[in-house]
Amino acid sequence: MKHVLEAAGSNLEKVVKVTVFLKDMKDFAVMNAVYSDFFKEDCPARSAVQVAALPKDGLVEIEVIAEA
């Protein structure tokens, strides 16, 4: 995600909204610990939802909206 944002002329500091899709909500605490490594201060708005399945049988998918 960091590299995609930078390639588009943005960065993690410009993220205003994050949506986290989890295959199992039991993984929320682990995801949240990793998430806090990237967003330490002024965290963007966030939603986290459990989904039935993700592409390639993934465990998590994260979508962000950022300013350019």
Side-chain angles (χ1 to χ4, degrees), residues 8-66:
S10 191
N11 60 52
L12 289 172
E13 293 176 359
K14 295 180 179 179
V15 172
V16 295
K17 173 72 170 89
V18 178
T19 305
V20 181
F21 302 94
L22 295 167
K23 186 172 181 181
D24 189 334
M25 196 57 83
K26 292 177 186 173
D27 294 329
F28 181 83
V30 173
M31 179 283 303
N32 200 49
V34 174
Y35 182 91
S36 66
D37 287 340
F38 291 92
F39 300 106
K40 298 181 190 289
E41 296 180 23
D42 299 324
C43 295
R46 179 179 68 181
S47 299
V49 296
Q50 182 172 325
V51 295
L54 290 167
K56 298 187 177 188
D57 203 31
L59 300 177
V60 64
E61 181 172 320
I62 298 176
E63 170 186 275
V64 301
I65 298 172

